[in-house]
Amino acid sequence: MKFELNIPTELSEVKLSQYQKFLQIAKDNENSELLHQKMVQIFCGIDLKEVAEIKYKDVVDITDSLGKMFDVKSHKFIQKFKMGGVEFGFVPNLDDISFGEYTDLDTYLSDWKQMHKAMAVLYRPIKKNGLNGTYEIEKYNGSITYSDVMKHAPLNVVLGANVFFYNLGNELLSSTMDYLEKDKEVMNILHQHNLVEGGDGIVQSMLSLKETLQDLMKLPNYHLHNV
């Protein structure tokens, strides 16, 4: 039986939904042979029974090729991208996001199972392009508007957005911690109110958030390197 096998060579050829599906399977399974098969099935878009017909050495070569595709040292932030003939743009000014956008983003961004919803907050169709690269995107009407569409978003765009927020969070936490460490008066006030020491302190919460962000950014390549 012959069938067409398309092996992606760039992250732009992988859909977010494919990545989400593989992460979930990798999380619940430690069987390397099964993960090899699922990797080929999901990222090459074929049935599992078709994977079984491929020579073992070819499956190893394919998974090795896919692993190298994911072995990217850094992910470039992509402000605009086209999908289905529609140009999507990143929120032009994060300082101007609504409370609804902020709370939804805070809920979805740390969970890969809901990353398509986070992407629906961050990227929306561009209504109008202006001078010097400026543009206007559609008004936010809830993540449900484009969440299903964003399941098809290119993975390089998704990972680039994650790295952007990781770096943004690191810069914010770093500047805040430096300020608190240098300002003895502020630190004394925090100590007086038991806000520095203990699991519920403001500074402790910041450090915990930083650890969470670091763990999140390790996740994309972790499973694939251990297949």
Side-chain angles (χ1 to χ4, degrees), residues 38-80:
K38 299 301 290 186
M39 195 174 186
V40 176
Q41 176 197 10
I42 293 170
F43 295 122
C44 296
I46 61 176
D47 293 332
L48 199 58
K49 63 180 181 180
E50 293 175 326
V51 178
E53 297 176 9
I54 302 174
K55 293 180 181 179
Y56 175 78
K57 66 180 185 65
D58 290 336
V59 171
V60 173
D61 288 342
I62 293 170
T63 54
D64 182 59
S65 176
L66 291 171
K68 290 179 180 177
M69 177 184 67
F70 281 94
D71 189 18
V72 179
K73 302 304 179 185
S74 62
H75 298 284
K76 181 182 178 181
F77 171 63
I78 299 173
Q79 194 166 13
K80 300 177 183 180

Side-chain angles (χ1 to χ4, degrees), residues 32-214:
S32 60
E33 289 187 6
L34 174 63
L35 290 179
H36 273 75
Q37 294 176 33
K38 299 301 290 186
M39 195 174 186
V40 176
Q41 176 197 10
I42 293 170
F43 295 122
C44 296
I46 61 176
D47 293 332
L48 199 58
K49 63 180 181 180
E50 293 175 326
V51 178
E53 297 176 9
I54 302 174
K55 293 180 181 179
Y56 175 78
K57 66 180 185 65
D58 290 336
V59 171
V60 173
D61 288 342
I62 293 170
T63 54
D64 182 59
S65 176
L66 291 171
K68 290 179 180 177
M69 177 184 67
F70 281 94
D71 189 18
V72 179
K73 302 304 179 185
S74 62
H75 298 284
K76 181 182 178 181
F77 171 63
I78 299 173
Q79 194 166 13
K80 300 177 183 180
F81 71 99
K82 285 188 176 182
M83 183 169 58
V86 178
E87 186 174 31
F88 289 82
F90 190 82
V91 175
N93 190 345
L94 288 173
D95 290 335
D96 293 334
I97 63 173
S98 66
F99 182 73
E101 288 172 285
Y102 174 82
T103 53
D104 284 351
L105 190 58
D106 185 56
T107 300
Y108 304 137
L109 193 58
S110 61
D111 184 358
W112 273 98
K113 289 187 293 186
Q114 302 192 85
M115 192 59 67
H116 56 291
K117 296 180 181 178
M119 288 293 290
V121 180
L122 294 173
Y123 289 91
R124 297 194 291 281
I126 295 176
K127 293 170 54 180
K128 181 181 179 181
N129 281 297
L131 298 175
N132 301 319
T134 60
Y135 57 89
E136 180 183 345
I137 60 175
E138 285 188 9
K139 181 180 178 182
Y140 185 62
N141 292 308
S143 64
I144 192 173
T145 307
Y146 292 106
S147 59
D148 284 343
V149 173
M150 286 300 165
K151 290 179 180 180
H152 300 275
L155 189 58
N156 64 322
V157 175
V158 180
L159 294 180
N162 271 268
V163 170
F164 172 82
F165 271 95
Y166 170 70
N167 291 335
L168 185 66
N170 259 352
E171 291 175 9
L172 176 61
L173 288 171
S174 178
S175 61
T176 302
M177 293 300 293
D178 288 344
Y179 169 74
L180 292 176
E181 289 173 1
K182 292 177 182 178
D183 197 316
K184 294 182 179 180
E185 182 178 351
V186 173
M187 287 299 289
N188 287 334
I189 293 174
L190 292 175
H191 276 294
Q192 289 173 12
H193 292 274
N194 298 317
L195 295 176
V196 175
E197 299 177 353
D200 296 327
I202 290 176
V203 176
Q204 186 64 34
S205 296
M206 288 182 177
L207 292 173
S208 177
L209 175 58
K210 184 173 182 177
E211 291 175 359
T212 299
L213 285 167
Q214 290 172 335

